[in-house]
Amino acid sequence: QVQLVESGGGLVQPGGSLRLSCAASTNIFSFYDMGWYRQAPGKQREFVALITRGSTTNYADSVKGRFTISRDNLKKTVYLQMNSLKPEDTAVYYCNANFGADGGWGQGTQVTVSS
């Protein structure tokens, strides 16, 4: 079972940037599709970004052009570079891994965008 640990969240001003990291504990990291999701208080968890095992990427329309997902298979880490942050980006951000029946979620990291 894959274990995921997110880091890099925090408080940032509107227009600022953050880079989230998700470190995975698995011997087959390169086989997983990796994604970022977020959940704001009182709202449903929503898709943010995906990077497949082949490094194909996909983004929610709300973050397209501002966020970039990437992965380093040697470090077994997936990243989410967040630029031009807006208050509506405030949420707990969760890392997701999926490889057929094997997958999981991280514990989440809080991102707060506020003046």
Side-chain angles (χ1 to χ4, degrees), residues 5-19:
V5 180
E6 301 98 332
S7 62
L11 175 64
V12 64
Q13 294 183 347
S17 298
L18 283 174
R19 189 177 78 155

